[in-house]
Amino acid sequence: MAITLVNPDGLPQIDAYRQVSIATGSKLVFVAGQVAWDVGGVTVGEGDLAAQVEQCYLNVSTALADAGATLDDVAKLNVYVVDWTPDKMPLLMEGIARAAAKLGTVPLPPATLLGVAALDVPEHLVEVEVTAVID
């Protein structure tokens, strides 16, 4: 595997992600921000943050698979949430857990969570983008 995830001594031990990823592969995979669209371009889970997070992660996994990668190859993850407030964290984590249950893996790369005013269309509540490294 091209990615090693670590939590260095001297930094907080975060359960939802690791502080550092060490990439040793030779190919970079950049996945555009994925929103909660199904294959037909219809928004999944309108008004439901957990459902949209789940769909975003499923879409990211589909994009990675096309490049020969999986969520285990992700070196960096960015999540953009409309009107973010900390009370939305349980819904975010629920969506990730639901996707992980379907995909059989829990993505834990270094992650950045950003609150944004809006995304591409009003019904989208979250967008997830990743960078992966493969051999």
Side-chain angles (χ1 to χ4, degrees):
M1 186 174 308
I3 303 293
T4 302
L5 302 175
V6 296
N7 270 328
D9 292 337
L11 292 177
Q13 303 298 301
I14 307 296
D15 291 334
Y17 62 90
R18 300 297 175 257
Q19 295 282 8
V20 175
S21 67
I22 303 163
T24 58
S26 59
K27 292 183 183 179
L28 296 176
V29 179
F30 299 94
V31 176
Q34 295 298 303
V35 293
W37 276 327
D38 66 12
V39 69
V42 175
T43 298
V44 172
E46 191 167 338
D48 182 343
L49 180 60
Q52 288 200 18
V53 169
E54 177 183 4
Q55 186 64 43
C56 288
Y57 275 79
L58 295 175
N59 290 350
V60 164
S61 180
T62 298
L64 288 169
D66 193 67
T70 71
L71 287 170
D72 292 330
D73 298 310
V74 173
K76 181 67 172 84
L77 179 130
N78 294 320
V79 179
Y80 305 90
V81 181
V82 174
D83 297 326
W84 173 257
T85 55
D87 64 311
K88 294 180 181 178
M89 185 63 79
L91 293 171
L92 178 76
M93 298 308 293
E94 177 186 336
I96 293 170
R98 287 171 21 188
K102 287 183 177 176
L103 298 168
T105 187
V106 176
L108 297 173
T112 299
L113 172 62
L114 297 166
V116 296
L119 292 170
D120 58 332
V121 295
E123 59 267 20
H124 289 159
L125 304 175
V126 61
E127 185 167 330
V128 178
E129 71 176 351
V130 302
T131 301
V133 179
I134 55 178
D135 290 321

